[in-house]
């Protein structure tokens, strides 16, 4: 996978070799804050393939922050140099901030002696030339809390009266589903794999039942809890069902989860944050230990525009 060690890129290094540094600052609604909320100051680096980065892209678009926070998109396939910029490829961009070829060079700009993984998403501050944060949940919450007044879409994805319930749902979804597919896909034994798959499908069945009587995960409006669930569902049949062997059932076999996923997909600019070609290319061509041939499946065929009728729920 590779990582930076004392500012130097080591292609074969693994995450457990070193103690990692981190970027975990926060944007505040205060003019004298180190990182104040300002339009045009911050920049997102994302991959269209990565479900964690997808959270931040969804939050940005649902709030209408396109003119407030700029974005660059890396190459979906990751090899010896980690995440790279390949503007010649479809739906990829150059590094518009620095003009670098790789994402690890952006980390070197922020911290020349950085040791740790080079991940997406990252929230970058153009003014101080540093990374504010590199964890998707924290970035999504910052966008929802500190930039909602800047957006062109009047939507509150993190209403204060529901935050405890939203956070509880996010934790449940993250532990059981978002991370659950990875525990199955990267299991190191048959027993570990089977246990992970059982927990994953137990959770999916539970949420399928929950969403049979309510339109959204929390309350009667779209929130960050939905933003965090959708990216895994979007990738499920095309990637996790086959590539990670989560094949007990497809998303299409869950009546309510499949309807729910289409409902979210058909909301606003959500389709513009989705790219199935990038998604499949990343997983099937980057994980050589799981898919050594590098072949990318042609299917499955999914009609994300089919009517869902979930607006008729209470």
């Amino acid at each position: 996978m590779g990582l930076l060690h004392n500012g130097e890129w080591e292609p074969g290094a693994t995450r457990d070799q070193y103690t990692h540094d981190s970027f975990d600052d926060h944007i505040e609604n205060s003019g004298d804050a180190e990182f104040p909320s300002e339009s045009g100051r911050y920049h997102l680096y994302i991959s269209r393939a990565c479900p964690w980065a997808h959270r931040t892209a969804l939050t940005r678009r649902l709030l209408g922050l396109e003119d407030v926070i700029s974005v660059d998109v890396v190459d979906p396939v990751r090899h010896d140099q980690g995440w790279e910029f390949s503007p010649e490829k479809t739906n990829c961009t150059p590094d518009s901030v620095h003009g670098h070829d790789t994402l690890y060079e952006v980390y070197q700009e922020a911290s020349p002696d950085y040791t740790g993984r080079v991940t997406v998403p990252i929230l970058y501050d153009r003014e101080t030339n540093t990374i504010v944060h590199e964890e998707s949940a924290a970035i999504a919450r910052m966008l929802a809390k500190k930039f909602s007044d800047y957006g062109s879409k009047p939507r509150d994805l993190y209403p204060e009266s529901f935050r405890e319930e939203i956070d509880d749902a996010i934790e449940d979804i993250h532990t059981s589903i978002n991370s659950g597919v990875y525990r199955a896909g990267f299991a190191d034994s048959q027993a570990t794999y089977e246990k992970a798959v059982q927990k994953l499908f137990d959770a999916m069945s539970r949420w399928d039942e929950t969403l049979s009587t309510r339109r959204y995960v929390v309350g009667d409006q779209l929130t960050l809890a939905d933003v965090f669930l959708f990216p895994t569902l979007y990738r499920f049949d095309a990637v996790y069902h086959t590539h990670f062997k989560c094949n007990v059932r497809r998303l299409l076999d869950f009546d309510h989860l499949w309807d729910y996923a289409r409902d979210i997909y058909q909301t606003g600019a959500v389709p513009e944050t989705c790219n199935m070609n990038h998604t499949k290319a990343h997983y099937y061509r980057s994980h050589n230990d799981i898919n050594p041939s590098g072949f990318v499946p042609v299917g499955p065929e999914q009609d994300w525009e089919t009517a869902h009728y979930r607006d008729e729920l209470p």
Side-chain angles (χ1 to χ4, degrees), residues 208 211 215-216 222 226 229-231 233-235 237 251-271 274 301-311:
D208 185 67
L211 290 165
R215 186 173 183 183
Y216 300 110
L222 187 75
D226 303 290
L229 176 57
F230 175 76
L233 300 184
Y234 176 72
R235 290 158 177 78
D237 287 2
L251 175 63
L252 271 67
D253 299 323
F254 290 94
D255 292 339
H256 308 295
L257 274 180
W258 172 226
D259 286 351
Y260 164 82
R262 297 199 314 281
D263 186 5
I264 303 302
Y265 180 87
Q266 294 170 31
T267 300
V270 168
C274 301
E301 293 186 3
Q302 291 175 283
D303 187 355
W304 287 91
E305 298 292 349
T306 303
H308 52 77
Y309 305 109
R310 289 186 59 80
D311 49 347

Side-chain angles (χ1 to χ4, degrees), residues 5-298:
H5 179 224
N6 293 330
E8 297 294 327
W9 179 252
E10 296 186 5
T14 59
R15 68 180 71 189
D16 57 352
Q17 285 184 246
Y18 308 109
T19 300
H20 290 213
D21 300 329
S22 64
F23 296 97
D24 57 359
D25 289 303
H26 289 78
I27 293 172
E28 300 293 343
N29 289 331
S30 171
D32 58 358
E34 182 179 5
F35 298 103
S37 54
E38 296 177 4
S39 178
R41 174 168 175 165
Y42 299 100
H43 183 78
L44 271 174
Y45 288 99
I46 66 169
S47 163
R48 294 292 183 202
C50 172
W52 318 111
H54 197 175
R55 298 172 168 183
T56 62
L58 281 165
T59 306
R60 173 179 175 266
R61 292 308 297 266
L62 286 168
L63 293 175
L65 296 174
E66 296 92 322
D67 296 329
V68 178
I69 297 174
S70 52
V71 66
D72 283 333
V73 181
V74 296
D75 191 311
V77 182
R78 185 181 59 188
H79 287 309
D80 288 345
Q81 296 302 303
W83 296 108
E84 300 180 60
F85 296 97
S86 303
E88 72 281 0
K89 292 188 177 181
T90 304
N91 297 317
C92 297
T93 72
D95 172 13
S96 62
V97 179
H98 299 289
H100 289 313
D101 295 325
T102 64
L103 191 62
Y104 75 72
E105 293 171 284
V106 176
Y107 274 73
Q108 290 171 329
E109 291 276 358
S111 177
D113 298 323
Y114 177 81
T115 293
R117 298 176 61 208
V118 173
T119 65
V120 288
I122 56 175
L123 182 62
Y124 196 87
D125 179 17
R126 295 172 180 269
E127 185 167 314
T128 61
N129 204 31
T130 193
I131 296 170
V132 180
H133 219 296
E134 55 183 341
E135 198 278 314
S136 63
I139 294 173
R141 285 186 174 93
M142 273 187 271
L143 299 187
K145 290 194 297 183
K146 308 303 180 182
F147 287 93
S148 58
D149 292 340
Y150 289 82
S152 61
K153 307 289 194 303
R155 178 180 279 127
D156 188 356
L157 292 174
Y158 200 41
E160 193 163 357
S161 59
F162 284 105
R163 283 183 186 173
E164 184 175 353
E165 192 174 351
I166 292 170
D167 289 341
D168 288 344
I170 286 173
E171 178 62 27
D172 183 312
I173 291 165
H174 173 80
T175 302
S176 62
I177 297 178
N178 300 150
S179 296
V181 293
Y182 283 88
R183 282 195 296 273
F186 292 104
D188 57 5
S189 71
Q190 182 71 29
T192 302
Y193 157 73
E194 292 182 8
K195 182 178 180 180
V197 167
Q198 182 65 53
K199 287 186 175 182
L200 168 65
F201 282 94
D202 285 348
M204 291 185 71
S205 295
R206 176 165 48 82
W207 279 106
D208 185 67
E209 176 64 24
T210 298
L211 290 165
S212 69
T213 57
R214 66 171 81 161
R215 186 173 183 183
Y216 300 110
V217 170
V218 173
D220 59 356
Q221 69 182 75
L222 187 75
T223 69
L224 286 181
D226 303 290
V227 168
F228 284 27
L229 176 57
F230 175 76
T232 301
L233 300 184
Y234 176 72
R235 290 158 177 78
F236 198 87
D237 287 2
V239 175
Y240 305 136
H241 180 272
T242 303
H243 188 56
F244 282 176
K245 302 180 181 64
C246 300
N247 60 357
V248 175
R249 296 170 73 182
R250 301 169 302 169
L251 175 63
L252 271 67
D253 299 323
F254 290 94
D255 292 339
H256 308 295
L257 274 180
W258 172 226
D259 286 351
Y260 164 82
R262 297 199 314 281
D263 186 5
I264 303 302
Y265 180 87
Q266 294 170 31
T267 300
V270 168
E272 297 171 32
T273 71
C274 301
N275 191 308
M276 191 56 75
N277 289 332
H278 276 213
T279 294
K280 293 200 292 187
H282 168 69
Y283 283 95
Y284 289 103
R285 289 181 174 158
S286 299
H287 299 158
N288 296 331
D289 51 340
I290 298 178
N291 186 43
S293 72
F295 296 161
V296 178
V298 175

